[in-house]
Amino acid sequence: MSRTPAPEAVIVAGGFGTRLLPLTARRPKHLLDVGGVPFLEHQLARLAGVGVEHVVLATSYHADLFAPTLGDGSRWGLRLDYVREEEPLGTGGAIRNVVGALRDDPDGAVVILNGDVLSGHDLAGQLADFDRPRDGRRVDVSLHLVRVADARAFGCVPTDGSGRVLDFVEKSNDPVTDQVNAGCYVFRRDVVGTIPPGRVVSVERETFPGLVAEGRLVTGFVESGYWRDVGTPEALVAASRDVVLGVAPTPAVDPVPSGARVAASAVVGAAEVGGGSVLMAGARVGDGAQVRGSVVMGDAVIGPGARVTDSVVGPGARVGAHAVLTGAAVGDDARIGDGVTLAPGARVDCHARIDGPRDQAAPGSGESR
């Protein structure tokens, strides 16, 4: 008996990450630290865990940084290829752009992951459901769907009793279902080839509705495991905290019972670090400081007596003694002076300098003085 080929996977990782500025000024959002490792490591480890052997990374913004960080995939028992899109092509266009890197197996399964969603859903179960024929027909595309308490802010995906997707309904004050798209798909290889090449295509607005209209078998796999879009600083901090505390299941790291993940070369004085915090290599925390639920990136310094809560401090940044940060995003090599209290939700640009209490960053402005 011939062996069924292992599923392949595509991770769509071409976004600019504008909602995450200033953290993405020098790197793609997909390589930001979440739970102590670059975000994509969570997805690669998860794919390897369900038997995927080949992953194609669809890149664009700062494409040159992916391979030095992730390598050839051998750390996870994978073969990892990189395909760069020269111009943004949307979700569907990015998938179509990598078709030449996939096997030429019409019935093969191709897992598609959005490169900014942390998920603990049952991917193995979704693959098994994808391989289950309906009335003798193969499934063409499977979508992971989750149920939400209030679907008014989402496009809805109604299904019938067999799981077949009936429609894609735009946001409404009177949703037709509580099921929404969670951003993990399984395609047949030949369906990927039907996406128009060389132009912007949205799978959500064009590909999926078109397949349903053509009578193709598109199914929904409804399963409400952990999932979170990490597209904002607040969401990135929350996802990192959830990984450290074990709320977000991921094979990439083990949860830390103490509630703080500290890199081997980080330095912590007589400080309190916890609440799901992460200190990356070279980070230093001064005596009497408190770091709660935050991500402190490589070589950043938190001064004595500072209070850093639910914040991200970029590589090489300095937070002065007795400074107070709450929900802040501090860019690379920025300087926050002694005694400064930033407005909640402040964003401080790379290399910015705030010398005293009168020079505070405005919340969400992306600027500082």
Side-chain angles (χ1 to χ4, degrees):
M1 179 180 292
S2 62
R3 174 178 177 268
T4 301
E8 297 180 283
V10 176
I11 301 177
V12 180
F16 293 102
T18 53
R19 292 184 297 157
L20 276 157
L21 286 170
L23 305 174
T24 50
R26 297 180 177 178
R27 61 191 63 81
K29 61 183 176 179
H30 319 88
L31 298 181
L32 291 172
D33 298 316
V34 172
V37 298
F39 176 74
L40 284 183
E41 292 202 15
H42 298 286
Q43 294 192 329
L44 291 169
R46 186 160 166 255
L47 290 167
V50 298
V52 172
E53 297 176 353
H54 177 220
V55 178
V56 182
L57 207 56
T59 69
S60 178
Y61 178 64
H62 281 305
D64 58 315
L65 298 182
F66 287 93
T69 302
L70 302 172
D72 61 2
S74 57
R75 274 185 285 161
W76 303 278
L78 299 166
R79 178 167 61 89
L80 183 56
D81 288 324
Y82 302 87
V83 177
R84 179 175 184 171
E85 58 186 52
E86 298 304 322
E87 298 179 359
L89 296 172
T91 49
I95 296 166
R96 180 62 174 84
N97 191 55
V98 308
V99 71
L102 299 172
R103 286 194 308 265
D104 189 15
D105 173 11
D107 291 316
V110 182
V111 179
I112 310 292
L113 296 181
N114 287 340
D116 57 3
V117 174
L118 181 65
S119 175
H121 96 280
D122 183 8
L123 180 54
Q126 184 178 359
L127 282 164
D129 187 67
F130 175 77
D131 284 333
R132 180 172 63 86
R134 270 53 164 196
D135 296 326
R137 293 181 60 192
R138 72 169 198 179
V139 175
D140 291 303
V141 177
S142 166
L143 286 73
H144 173 215
L145 307 178
V146 298
R147 291 192 170 97
V148 296
D150 185 355
R152 289 177 296 178
F154 302 90
C156 296
V157 186
T159 56
D160 66 14
S162 70
R164 179 169 184 163
V165 171
L166 302 175
D167 200 0
F168 291 85
V169 183
E170 294 296 329
K171 297 176 184 178
S172 168
N173 287 328
D174 187 19
V176 298
T177 179
D178 61 356
Q179 296 175 174
V180 302
N181 182 3
C184 173
Y185 318 121
V186 186
F187 275 70
R188 292 291 172 195
R189 166 64 177 80
D190 59 356
V191 175
V192 175
T194 67
I195 300 172
R199 69 171 178 86
V200 176
V201 180
S202 166
V203 290
E204 299 85 358
R205 295 183 179 87
E206 184 175 346
T207 304
F208 296 151
L211 290 170
V212 170
E214 293 170 9
R216 305 293 287 266
L217 185 50
V218 179
T219 60
F221 180 74
V222 183
E223 197 262 351
S224 296
Y226 178 96
W227 69 285
R228 185 187 290 276
D229 178 336
V230 296
T232 67
E234 298 81 5
L236 182 138
V237 167
S240 185
R241 182 171 59 238
D242 287 347
V243 167
V244 173
L245 297 178
V247 176
T250 170
V253 299
D254 295 322
V256 179
S258 66
R261 179 175 299 281
V262 181
S265 58
V267 177
V268 181
E272 178 187 343
V273 179
S277 293
V278 170
L279 305 184
M280 298 306 296
R284 290 180 285 159
V285 180
D287 290 351
Q290 292 183 358
V291 178
R292 303 289 300 174
S294 296
V295 178
V296 182
M297 296 188 182
D299 299 316
V301 175
I302 308 300
R307 303 290 184 267
V308 179
T309 306
D310 298 337
S311 298
V312 186
V313 180
R318 300 289 187 270
V319 176
H322 303 287
V324 178
L325 281 62
T326 306
V330 179
D332 301 20
D333 300 308
R335 297 291 184 268
I336 309 299
D338 294 349
V340 169
T341 297
L342 293 181
R347 299 195 186 193
V348 180
D349 287 339
C350 297
H351 291 288
R353 182 177 182 124
I354 301 177
D355 292 322
R358 294 182 180 179
D359 294 318
Q360 295 182 8
S365 68
E367 298 179 352
S368 55
R369 297 187 296 274

